[in-house]
Structures are given as C-alpha cells and as structure tokens.
Amino acid sequence: MLKGHQTWIFENRPVLHSCAAIGGPFEAAGPLSADFDLLHEDIWLGQNSFEKAEKRFLEEACEFAIRKGGLKKEDINVFLSGDLMNQIISSSFAARTIGVPFLGLFGACSSSMESLAVASALVNGKFAKYALAAASSHNAAAEKQFRYPTEYGAQKPPTAQWTVTGAGAAVVTDSGDGPYITSATVGRVVDMGISDPFNMGGAMAPAAVDTIQAHFRDLNRGLDYYDMIATGDLGKVGHRIATDLLTEHGLKINEDIFTDCGLLIYGDNKQVFAGGSGCACSATVTYGHIMNRVKKGELKKILIVATGALLSPMSYQQKESIPCIAHAVSIEA
Amino acid sequence: MLKGHQTWIFENRPVLHSCAAIGGPFEAAGPLSADFDLLHEDIWLGQNSFEKAEKRFLEEACEFAIRKGGLKKEDINVFLSGDLMNQIISSSFAARTIGVPFLGLFGACSSSMESLAVASALVNGKFAKYALAAASSHNAAAEKQFRYPTEYGAQKPPTAQWTVTGAGAAVVTDSGDGPYITSATVGRVVDMGISDPFNMGGAMAPAAVDTIQAHFRDLNRGLDYYDMIATGDLGKVGHRIATDLLTEHGLKINEDIFTDCGLLIYGDNKQVFAGGSGCACSATVTYGHIMNRVKKGELKKILIVATGALLSPMSYQQKESIPCIAHAVSIEA
C-alpha cells in the first residue's frame, strides 16, 4: 500500500529468498572480496567484447541467485533488470539466455533498487511467485561508452569514480523466514545544475537526500530506525555533500550508520579516486557484503538508497545538466 | 494475481482514467490524424535538437493526459516511461520537468505496454492512486542513432519501417467507470536469429506470437474473446508472418480483428515502406485512435500486443542477432 506520496509498504512481507554477487579482478583486490560468490581474474570472461563480458557477469549472478535459492529458471515468473549500456543490451541479452518473462528497466546506477522495488511490489501484489531482480556494470564497457576507451590513458580529476565490474541479483518470493523487503521509496528526478560527468557523486547527492527525506517523512519514522543506511555510489565527494545536506534539512544522521556502497567496495584504494560507481556497485555490495552481515545477525534493519545519474553522452554534448534519481528499499531480518 | 506462468489479472479493476496522443507532421498527414490531441507541423518543436524535441512531445502527451483527467502533476504518485534513446533521455528529462516519482523502463517499442502493465499492477496493488504511463519516439532522432542521419539520403529496403514522431500517455487510477485494464501478459525474449535491422517486423513477429499464445493459454480464453487484437509495430511484413505463425500453432485468428498499429497509422502511404514503428507507434494509436473507438462503443474488448526489438547499434556491429519481446495488455469497456 501507498504511504505518503511516494513510499510503498509491502504488507504481505515479500522475502529476499536468495541473492548473489559476481565481481572482476579489481573487486577481488578490494576489502569485500570474501563477500562475492564468484570473482573473475579476467575482465573479458573469455568473451570477445566487454559488452558480452558484462552480459556474462549478469547471467552468472542470476544463475547463482536462482541456484542458491534451490530453484530453476522455470520457477521465475518475471525477471527485472537494468544496466548502463545503450538499450540495456546486457539485461536484454541476459534475458534471452534466461528465457523467462522480462521487464527491462533503466535508472542508471539506481537500477539495482529500482528492480528490487518493482519485483517486491509484483510479489506483494501476487503477480509473481518468484521474481528475479538484477543489475550489472562493466568498467571497460562503461568507460568506452561514457568517457574514453581506457587505452587512451586519459587523465581524470579526483572527483571521478570507478565503475564496478560485476553484477548482483536477488530472488524475491512470497513466503519464508526472511529477510523481508518491507518498503520502497520511489525517487523523483533532481537536477541541481551540475553538468560535469566526472563529478557524479556531487550531482547525485541531492537526489539521495530527496529520497531519504521522502522515506522518513512518508513513514513518519525516526532516523535511528535503521542499523545501516547505505547510498549507492556517491563516493567520497557525494557522501560528504549528502551528509551536509541532510544536516541542513534537520536530518542529523548518525555517521556510524550512514555509509555508501561506493566507499565500501574499494576501501582506501587511491586508484579509484572518489570511490566505486556503476549499477553493480550497489548491487554487489548489497547482495554480497551487506546481506551477509544481515544473515550473520550483525544488521537487522537496513535501507539501501541506490543513486543514478540519468545522463547520456548525447545529453552532455548538448549542454544539458545531469538529472539524478535515487530509489530506496528497506530490508529487515 | 498471477494466472498461468506470465499473465497478471487485475482483480481490483484499475481504470484507464485519461489518455493523450501527440504527433508530428507525418502523422498529421495519415488516416488517424483526427485521433491525435495535438499535431505539430514542425518536427523540431522549436528546440535545437531532435532529442530535445522528442522530450517535448513526451512532456506534452503527459500534460494532456493529466489535464484531460482533471488532475494536476502533484496528483501523480508514479510516472513510468520508456523510449528508444540511449539511456532513455527523453523519459528521464521529461521526468525532470514533470517532477513526480519516476520509474524508467526500457522495452524498445514495447515500452508503451510495459509502462501500462506495470502502472496497472502498481495501482491494482494500491501502491499508487494515480500512475502515469507513457512512451515516445522521434523519427529523426531514431534514424540518427540507429541508422544514418536522414540528411545522408541512404536507400532502404521495402522491409524497413518508419519511426513514428510523437508520444502517448495514459493515467491509470483505482476507481471510475472504465474502461478497465483487466490483464497483462509479460513477454519473454524471443530471438529467431534475424540480424537485419531493416527487417524489424520479421524479427519481432515470433515474439508477438509467443506472447499472444501465452496470453490465451494462461487465461484459457478463446481467440474470439476480443473485438480487436492489435500488435505494436510489426508492419506489413511482420503482420503477415505473425498471422502465418499463429495459424501454424493452431491459433486461427479472425483477420477482421487482427491488426497492427504500424499498419493503421500511415495507411497506404508507400513512403513508409512496411509501415510505422517506434515506441510512439503503439502508444499514439492505442491512446488516440483505439481508445477513441472504445469510448464511442465501437470496441468493447481489446488486446494491445506491443512489440520491441531489443538491439543496439553496438550489438548489431558485434554480429548479434536481434532479441525481441512483446507485452500484451487487455482493456475492456
């Protein structure tokens, strides 16, 4: 049911039945490596293009999530997925392989929680017994499409972020012992006029804040409700801006519980500049590291606020600023 | 509720509260011109790029649908939209203008019914009082991105189709006198190995047939249930293939009720080769012409089967065939 203007409460308590995270060599070298289900040494995955490699990451994440849940592909009623590639070819071609009913989504890096929110709504509304939600990104494929091919060796400013290579997937179903997906807040597009594609974190921070505000306003809930509030890929720059903006708006968030998947995934590695990004950033950190902490009992109530920068190279070339969005999903053990 | 493996029945009877169709000069010259809410003589709409013009078409369709429903933007709980542009910038930038919670979708030309299906599921599940579903396309923007800039004057084969310039939008709500959105069948990706981007109708026909078969199988319904079954943009070539495939599969469909939005929109105009295509093809024909016929009482039960070709220029260059999909939505007066 709808609470407030933009928050969904899942009163039938859909369950996050199983999930999986797959990463590449750079993710394997990071502090969360033990939380991945599979890590590849080769960013090509034996394919002849980065795009095809990304599709394989996504297929593997889906296969693992299905298998870990003791299910078969045929059990899945609907597959929801999004990615950064033009016409979301990673998702569409993975959907061809998986062969189940498919709804393609695009929310840039917010696609991870967009797919989980809609999957949960469909399960809650009894339109699916099993819904599969996923998202993927690939560093080299994203660099080629959005910036410069990495072979050019172009310099980057310190506000730049590093696109995660990998994919995350989750199966949502209508019954079980939890963890439960309890609510979702659908974000509005927020654009503060930033047009620098090397400062995505700064551009996206106001969208994250807008959605966090809406979530707590709609649910009339205190900021101390959650054990962890994790944004998707704001990185160092965006995380600081978001913290400041929340304080300005009277939402004094405890710094111990407020974090960002883009800060967690690579730790202090200076090579990633301001932190991780890409659809796979929040997808792999949530479905790997964070859900493992939930399963261990370290976290009981979490809010994932996946952020997305909805630009295209074309919109940037046409001097448009960057419209941003954030979708939040709460998961409770 | 779920019926069979992939069909949703909307037991709370969401209502297609209001809808609108906006077109360009080529659509104004076609046989359905009287069914558009607004027709523009200028494909630029006063903008300095085709992409920005497409965004304006989409914004106008949404504004008309909201206004015709006696509503304001603030009443809309969620806006669902998709288009053909890379990173669906038409939808994302229109969402910035409209300023309501946004879920971006991508199903290529099936986005029209994908957005209507998900909007109806959200209203049925009480996650939205008012949901806005839309889709857009622009001939010149699509030609530039997927084929050649029109200024090149490249020759096309007779299987090619003409991307519709325009947008369609609908407001779905939880009560009213109808027409009601009664069910939706989510399609699977079907790929028969066709890799010619100038024969989209031929590529998409098997996906349309797969979804039509699933719809009637899941609902255990006879083919004579509907007054009209309209596919999205199969055009002359695809429509003939779909008719033949249905017959082969033992589904003898009455030719008087089986049509295609891509055949309807431009009539016998030879300049469009095999017919219309693009997200706006099924969106404008459904939300203009067909819904006007429903309102007049000429049609009582219709099934729209929007078809989508999920390729990208990159996937085509990498020698991939074209994965296709179709989503069906039934509307009953």
Coordinates of all heavy atoms in Angstrom, one line a residue, chain A residues 129-200:
Chain A
K129 N 5.2 -15.4 -8.2 CA 5.6 -16.3 -7.0 C 7.1 -16.0 -6.8 O 7.5 -15.9 -5.6 CB 5.3 -17.7 -7.3 CG 5.9 -18.8 -6.4 CD 5.1 -19.0 -5.2 CE 5.7 -20.1 -4.3 NZ 5.3 -20.0 -2.9
Y130 N 7.9 -16.0 -7.8 CA 9.3 -15.8 -7.8 C 9.6 -14.7 -8.8 O 9.4 -14.8 -10.0 CB 10.1 -17.0 -8.1 CG 10.0 -18.1 -7.1 CD1 9.2 -19.2 -7.3 CD2 10.6 -18.0 -5.8 CE1 9.1 -20.3 -6.4 CE2 10.5 -19.0 -4.9 CZ 9.7 -20.1 -5.2 OH 9.6 -21.1 -4.2
A131 N 10.2 -13.6 -8.3 CA 10.7 -12.5 -9.2 C 12.2 -12.4 -9.0 O 12.7 -12.4 -7.9 CB 10.0 -11.2 -8.9
L132 N 12.9 -12.2 -10.1 CA 14.3 -12.1 -10.1 C 14.7 -10.7 -10.5 O 14.3 -10.1 -11.5 CB 14.9 -13.1 -11.2 CG 16.4 -13.0 -11.4 CD1 17.2 -13.5 -10.2 CD2 16.8 -14.0 -12.6
A133 N 15.4 -10.0 -9.6 CA 15.8 -8.6 -9.8 C 17.4 -8.5 -9.9 O 18.1 -9.1 -9.1 CB 15.4 -7.7 -8.6
A134 N 17.9 -7.8 -10.9 CA 19.3 -7.7 -11.1 C 19.8 -6.4 -11.7 O 19.0 -5.6 -12.2 CB 19.7 -8.9 -11.9
A135 N 21.1 -6.2 -11.6 CA 21.7 -5.1 -12.3 C 23.2 -5.4 -12.5 O 23.8 -6.2 -11.8 CB 21.6 -3.8 -11.4
S136 N 23.8 -4.8 -13.5 CA 25.2 -5.1 -13.9 C 25.9 -3.8 -14.4 O 25.3 -2.9 -14.8 CB 25.3 -6.2 -14.9 OG 24.8 -5.7 -16.2
S137 N 27.2 -3.8 -14.3 CA 28.0 -2.8 -15.0 C 29.4 -3.4 -15.2 O 29.8 -4.4 -14.6 CB 28.1 -1.5 -14.2 OG 28.6 -1.8 -12.9
H138 N 30.2 -2.8 -16.2 CA 31.5 -3.3 -16.5 C 32.4 -2.0 -16.7 O 32.0 -1.2 -17.5 CB 31.4 -4.1 -17.8 CG 32.7 -4.9 -18.1 ND1 33.9 -4.2 -18.4 CD2 32.9 -6.2 -18.1 CE1 34.8 -5.2 -18.6 NE2 34.3 -6.3 -18.5
N139 N 33.5 -2.0 -16.0 CA 34.3 -0.8 -16.0 C 34.7 -0.4 -17.4 O 34.5 0.7 -17.9 CB 35.5 -1.0 -15.1 CG 36.4 0.2 -15.0 OD1 37.1 0.5 -16.0 ND2 36.3 0.9 -13.9
A140 N 35.2 -1.4 -18.2 CA 35.8 -1.0 -19.5 C 34.6 -0.7 -20.5 O 34.8 0.2 -21.4 CB 36.6 -2.2 -20.0
A141 N 33.5 -1.4 -20.4 CA 32.4 -1.1 -21.3 C 31.8 0.3 -21.0 O 31.5 1.0 -21.9 CB 31.3 -2.2 -21.1
A142 N 31.7 0.6 -19.7 CA 31.2 2.0 -19.3 C 32.2 3.1 -19.7 O 31.7 4.1 -20.2 CB 30.9 2.0 -17.8
E143 N 33.5 2.9 -19.5 CA 34.5 3.9 -19.9 C 34.4 4.1 -21.4 O 34.4 5.3 -21.8 CB 35.9 3.4 -19.5 CG 36.2 3.4 -18.0 CD 36.1 4.8 -17.4 OE1 36.7 5.8 -18.0 OE2 35.5 5.0 -16.3
K144 N 34.3 3.1 -22.2 CA 34.2 3.2 -23.6 C 33.0 4.0 -24.1 O 33.1 4.8 -24.9 CB 34.2 1.8 -24.2 CG 34.3 1.7 -25.7 CD 34.5 0.2 -26.1 CE 33.3 -0.3 -26.8 NZ 33.4 -1.7 -27.2
Q145 N 31.9 3.7 -23.4 CA 30.6 4.3 -23.9 C 30.5 5.7 -23.4 O 30.0 6.6 -24.1 CB 29.5 3.5 -23.4 CG 28.1 4.0 -23.9 CD 27.0 3.1 -23.4 OE1 26.7 2.1 -24.0 NE2 26.3 3.5 -22.3
F146 N 30.8 6.0 -22.1 CA 30.5 7.3 -21.5 C 31.7 8.2 -21.5 O 31.5 9.4 -21.4 CB 30.1 7.1 -20.0 CG 28.7 6.5 -19.9 CD1 28.5 5.2 -19.6 CD2 27.6 7.4 -20.0 CE1 27.2 4.7 -19.4 CE2 26.4 6.9 -19.9 CZ 26.2 5.6 -19.6
R147 N 33.0 7.7 -21.6 CA 34.1 8.6 -21.4 C 35.1 8.4 -22.6 O 34.8 8.7 -23.7 CB 34.7 8.4 -20.0 CG 33.7 8.7 -18.9 CD 34.3 8.5 -17.6 NE 33.1 8.7 -16.6 CZ 32.5 7.7 -16.1 NH1 32.8 6.4 -16.4 NH2 31.5 7.9 -15.3
Y148 N 36.2 7.8 -22.3 CA 37.2 7.5 -23.3 C 37.5 6.0 -23.2 O 37.6 5.5 -22.1 CB 38.4 8.3 -23.2 CG 38.2 9.8 -23.2 CD1 38.2 10.5 -22.0 CD2 38.0 10.5 -24.4 CE1 37.9 11.8 -22.0 CE2 37.7 11.8 -24.4 CZ 37.7 12.5 -23.2 OH 37.5 13.9 -23.2
P149 N 37.9 5.3 -24.3 CA 38.4 4.0 -24.1 C 39.6 4.0 -23.2 O 40.4 5.0 -23.3 CB 38.8 3.6 -25.6 CG 37.9 4.4 -26.5 CD 37.8 5.7 -25.7
T150 N 39.7 3.1 -22.3 CA 40.8 3.1 -21.3 C 42.2 3.1 -22.0 O 43.1 3.7 -21.4 CB 40.7 1.9 -20.4 OG1 40.5 0.7 -21.1 CG2 39.6 2.1 -19.4
E151 N 42.3 2.6 -23.2 CA 43.6 2.5 -23.8 C 44.1 3.9 -24.1 O 45.3 4.1 -24.3 CB 43.5 1.8 -25.2 CG 43.2 0.3 -25.1 CD 41.7 0.0 -24.9 OE1 40.9 0.9 -24.6 OE2 41.3 -1.2 -24.9
Y152 N 43.3 5.0 -24.1 CA 43.7 6.3 -24.4 C 44.5 6.9 -23.2 O 45.3 7.8 -23.3 CB 42.5 7.3 -24.6 CG 41.8 7.1 -26.0 CD1 42.1 6.0 -26.8 CD2 40.9 8.1 -26.4 CE1 41.4 5.9 -28.0 CE2 40.3 8.0 -27.6 CZ 40.5 6.9 -28.4 OH 39.8 6.8 -29.6
G153 N 44.3 6.3 -22.0 CA 45.1 6.7 -20.8 C 44.7 8.2 -20.4 O 45.5 8.9 -19.9
A154 N 43.4 8.6 -20.6 CA 43.0 10.0 -20.3 C 43.1 10.2 -18.8 O 42.8 9.3 -18.0 CB 41.6 10.2 -20.8
Q155 N 43.6 11.4 -18.4 CA 43.6 11.8 -17.0 C 42.2 12.0 -16.4 O 41.4 12.5 -17.2 CB 44.5 13.1 -16.9 CG 45.9 12.9 -17.3 CD 46.7 12.1 -16.2 OE1 46.5 12.3 -15.0 NE2 47.6 11.2 -16.7
K156 N 42.1 11.8 -15.2 CA 40.8 12.0 -14.5 C 41.0 12.9 -13.3 O 42.0 12.8 -12.6 CB 40.2 10.7 -14.1 CG 39.7 9.9 -15.2 CD 39.0 8.6 -14.7 CE 38.4 7.9 -15.9 NZ 37.7 6.7 -15.4
P157 N 40.0 13.7 -13.0 CA 40.0 14.5 -11.8 C 39.7 13.7 -10.5 O 39.2 12.6 -10.6 CB 38.9 15.6 -12.0 CG 37.9 14.9 -12.8 CD 38.7 13.9 -13.7
P158 N 40.1 14.2 -9.3 CA 39.9 13.4 -8.1 C 38.4 13.2 -7.8 O 38.1 12.3 -6.9 CB 40.5 14.2 -7.0 CG 40.8 15.6 -7.6 CD 40.8 15.4 -9.1
T159 N 37.5 13.9 -8.4 CA 36.0 13.7 -8.2 C 35.5 12.5 -9.0 O 34.4 12.0 -8.8 CB 35.2 14.9 -8.5 OG1 35.5 15.2 -9.9 CG2 35.4 16.1 -7.6
A160 N 36.3 11.9 -9.9 CA 35.9 10.8 -10.7 C 35.7 9.6 -9.9 O 36.3 9.4 -8.8 CB 36.9 10.6 -11.9
Q161 N 34.9 8.6 -10.4 CA 34.7 7.4 -9.7 C 35.0 6.2 -10.6 O 35.1 6.4 -11.9 CB 33.2 7.3 -9.2 CG 33.0 8.3 -8.1 CD 31.5 8.4 -7.6 OE1 31.0 9.5 -7.7 NE2 31.0 7.4 -7.1
W162 N 35.1 5.0 -10.1 CA 35.5 3.8 -10.8 C 34.3 2.9 -10.9 O 33.8 2.4 -9.9 CB 36.6 3.2 -10.0 CG 37.2 2.0 -10.6 CD1 36.7 0.7 -10.5 CD2 38.4 1.9 -11.4 NE1 37.5 -0.2 -11.2 CE2 38.5 0.5 -11.8 CE3 39.3 2.8 -11.9 CZ2 39.6 0.1 -12.6 CZ3 40.4 2.4 -12.6 CH2 40.5 1.1 -13.0
T163 N 33.9 2.6 -12.2 CA 32.8 1.8 -12.4 C 33.1 0.3 -12.0 O 34.1 -0.2 -12.4 CB 32.3 1.8 -13.9 OG1 32.1 3.2 -14.2 CG2 31.1 1.0 -14.1
V164 N 32.2 -0.2 -11.2 CA 32.4 -1.6 -10.7 C 32.1 -2.6 -11.9 O 31.2 -2.4 -12.6 CB 31.4 -1.9 -9.5 CG1 31.4 -3.4 -9.2 CG2 31.8 -1.1 -8.3
T165 N 33.0 -3.6 -12.0 CA 32.8 -4.7 -12.9 C 32.1 -5.9 -12.2 O 32.8 -6.4 -11.3 CB 34.1 -5.1 -13.5 OG1 34.7 -4.0 -14.2 CG2 34.0 -6.2 -14.6
G166 N 30.9 -6.2 -12.6 CA 30.2 -7.3 -11.9 C 28.7 -7.2 -12.1 O 28.2 -6.4 -12.9
A167 N 28.1 -8.0 -11.3 CA 26.6 -8.0 -11.3 C 26.1 -8.6 -10.0 O 26.8 -9.3 -9.3 CB 26.1 -8.8 -12.5
G168 N 24.9 -8.1 -9.6 CA 24.2 -8.6 -8.4 C 22.8 -9.0 -8.8 O 22.2 -8.4 -9.7
A169 N 22.3 -10.0 -8.1 CA 20.9 -10.5 -8.4 C 20.3 -11.0 -7.2 O 21.0 -11.5 -6.3 CB 20.9 -11.6 -9.5
A170 N 18.9 -10.9 -7.1 CA 18.2 -11.4 -5.9 C 16.9 -12.0 -6.4 O 16.3 -11.6 -7.4 CB 17.9 -10.3 -5.0
V171 N 16.5 -13.1 -5.7 CA 15.2 -13.7 -6.0 C 14.3 -13.3 -4.8 O 14.6 -13.4 -3.6 CB 15.3 -15.2 -6.0 CG1 13.9 -15.8 -6.1 CG2 16.2 -15.7 -7.2
V172 N 13.1 -12.7 -5.2 CA 12.1 -12.3 -4.2 C 10.9 -13.3 -4.3 O 10.5 -13.6 -5.4 CB 11.6 -10.9 -4.5 CG1 10.6 -10.4 -3.4 CG2 12.8 -9.9 -4.6
T173 N 10.4 -13.7 -3.2 CA 9.3 -14.6 -3.2 C 8.3 -14.2 -2.1 O 8.5 -13.3 -1.3 CB 9.7 -16.1 -3.1 OG1 8.6 -16.9 -3.4 CG2 10.3 -16.4 -1.7
D174 N 7.2 -15.0 -2.0 CA 6.0 -14.5 -1.2 C 6.0 -15.1 0.2 O 5.2 -14.7 1.0 CB 4.7 -14.8 -1.9 CG 4.6 -16.3 -2.2 OD1 5.5 -17.1 -2.0 OD2 3.5 -16.7 -2.8
S175 N 6.9 -16.0 0.5 CA 6.9 -16.6 1.9 C 8.3 -17.1 2.3 O 9.1 -17.4 1.4 CB 5.8 -17.7 2.0 OG 6.1 -18.7 1.1
G176 N 8.5 -17.3 3.5 CA 9.8 -17.7 4.0 C 10.1 -17.0 5.3 O 9.4 -16.2 5.9
D177 N 11.3 -17.3 5.8 CA 11.7 -16.8 7.1 C 12.5 -15.5 7.0 O 13.1 -15.0 8.0 CB 12.7 -17.8 7.8 CG 11.9 -19.1 8.1 OD1 10.7 -19.0 8.3 OD2 12.6 -20.2 8.2
G178 N 12.5 -14.8 5.9 CA 13.1 -13.5 5.8 C 14.5 -13.7 5.4 O 15.0 -14.8 5.1
P179 N 15.3 -12.6 5.2 CA 14.9 -11.2 5.5 C 13.8 -10.8 4.6 O 13.6 -11.2 3.5 CB 16.2 -10.4 5.2 CG 17.0 -11.3 4.4 CD 16.7 -12.7 4.7
Y180 N 13.0 -9.8 5.1 CA 11.8 -9.3 4.5 C 12.1 -8.0 3.8 O 12.8 -7.2 4.4 CB 10.7 -9.1 5.4 CG 10.3 -10.4 6.1 CD1 10.7 -10.7 7.4 CD2 9.6 -11.4 5.5 CE1 10.4 -11.9 8.0 CE2 9.3 -12.6 6.1 CZ 9.7 -12.9 7.4 OH 9.4 -14.1 8.0
I181 N 11.5 -7.8 2.6 CA 11.6 -6.5 2.0 C 10.3 -5.7 2.5 O 9.2 -6.1 2.2 CB 11.6 -6.6 0.5 CG1 12.9 -7.4 0.1 CG2 11.7 -5.3 -0.2 CD1 12.8 -8.2 -1.2
T182 N 10.6 -4.7 3.2 CA 9.4 -4.1 4.0 C 8.9 -2.8 3.3 O 7.7 -2.5 3.5 CB 9.8 -3.8 5.4 OG1 11.1 -3.1 5.4 CG2 10.0 -5.1 6.2
S183 N 9.7 -2.1 2.6 CA 9.2 -0.9 2.0 C 10.1 -0.4 0.8 O 11.3 -0.8 0.8 CB 9.0 0.3 3.0 OG 10.3 0.7 3.4
A184 N 9.6 0.5 0.0 CA 10.4 1.1 -1.0 C 9.9 2.6 -1.3 O 8.7 2.8 -1.2 CB 10.3 0.3 -2.3
T185 N 10.9 3.5 -1.4 CA 10.5 4.8 -1.8 C 11.0 5.1 -3.2 O 12.2 5.0 -3.5 CB 11.1 5.8 -0.8 OG1 10.6 5.5 0.5 CG2 10.8 7.3 -1.1
V186 N 10.1 5.5 -4.1 CA 10.5 5.7 -5.5 C 10.9 7.2 -5.6 O 10.2 8.1 -5.1 CB 9.3 5.5 -6.4 CG1 9.6 5.8 -7.9 CG2 8.8 4.1 -6.3
G187 N 12.1 7.4 -6.1 CA 12.6 8.8 -6.2 C 12.1 9.6 -7.3 O 11.6 9.2 -8.3
R188 N 12.2 11.0 -7.1 CA 11.9 11.9 -8.1 C 13.2 12.3 -8.8 O 14.3 12.2 -8.2 CB 11.3 13.2 -7.5 CG 10.0 13.0 -6.8 CD 9.5 14.4 -6.3 NE 10.5 15.0 -5.4 CZ 10.5 16.3 -5.2 NH1 9.7 17.1 -5.8 NH2 11.4 16.8 -4.4
V189 N 13.2 12.9 -10.0 CA 14.4 13.4 -10.7 C 14.7 14.7 -10.0 O 13.9 15.6 -9.9 CB 14.2 13.5 -12.2 CG1 15.4 14.2 -12.8 CG2 14.0 12.1 -12.8
V190 N 16.0 14.8 -9.6 CA 16.5 16.0 -9.0 C 17.7 16.4 -9.8 O 18.6 15.6 -10.1 CB 16.9 15.8 -7.5 CG1 17.6 17.0 -6.9 CG2 15.7 15.4 -6.7
D191 N 17.8 17.7 -10.2 CA 18.9 18.2 -11.0 C 19.3 19.6 -10.5 O 18.5 20.5 -10.6 CB 18.4 18.3 -12.5 CG 19.5 18.7 -13.4 OD1 20.5 19.3 -13.0 OD2 19.3 18.5 -14.7
M192 N 20.5 19.6 -9.9 CA 20.9 20.9 -9.3 C 21.8 21.6 -10.2 O 22.5 22.6 -9.8 CB 21.7 20.6 -8.0 CG 20.8 19.8 -6.9 SD 19.3 20.7 -6.5 CE 20.0 21.9 -5.4
G193 N 21.8 21.2 -11.5 CA 22.6 22.0 -12.5 C 24.0 21.6 -12.7 O 24.7 22.2 -13.5
I194 N 24.5 20.5 -12.0 CA 25.8 20.1 -12.3 C 25.9 19.4 -13.6 O 25.0 18.6 -14.0 CB 26.3 19.1 -11.2 CG1 26.4 19.9 -9.9 CG2 27.5 18.4 -11.5 CD1 26.9 19.0 -8.7
S195 N 26.9 19.7 -14.4 CA 27.0 19.1 -15.8 C 28.3 18.4 -16.0 O 28.6 18.0 -17.1 CB 26.8 20.2 -16.9 OG 27.7 21.2 -16.7
D196 N 29.1 18.2 -14.9 CA 30.4 17.6 -15.0 C 30.3 16.1 -14.9 O 30.0 15.6 -13.8 CB 31.3 18.2 -14.0 CG 32.7 17.5 -13.9 OD1 33.0 16.7 -14.8 OD2 33.5 17.8 -13.0
P197 N 30.5 15.3 -15.9 CA 30.3 13.9 -15.8 C 31.4 13.2 -15.0 O 31.4 12.0 -14.7 CB 30.3 13.4 -17.2 CG 31.0 14.4 -18.0 CD 30.8 15.7 -17.3
F198 N 32.4 14.0 -14.6 CA 33.4 13.4 -13.7 C 33.1 13.8 -12.2 O 34.0 13.7 -11.4 CB 34.8 14.0 -14.1 CG 35.3 13.3 -15.4 CD1 35.4 14.0 -16.6 CD2 35.7 12.0 -15.4 CE1 35.9 13.4 -17.7 CE2 36.2 11.4 -16.5 CZ 36.3 12.1 -17.7
N199 N 31.9 14.3 -12.0 CA 31.5 14.5 -10.6 C 30.1 14.0 -10.4 O 29.2 14.7 -10.0 CB 31.6 16.0 -10.3 CG 31.4 16.3 -8.8 OD1 31.3 15.3 -8.0 ND2 31.3 17.5 -8.4
M200 N 29.9 12.7 -10.6 CA 28.6 12.1 -10.5 C 28.2 12.1 -9.0 O 27.0 12.3 -8.8 CB 28.7 10.6 -10.9 CG 29.0 10.4 -12.4 SD 27.7 11.0 -13.4 CE 28.2 10.3 -15.0

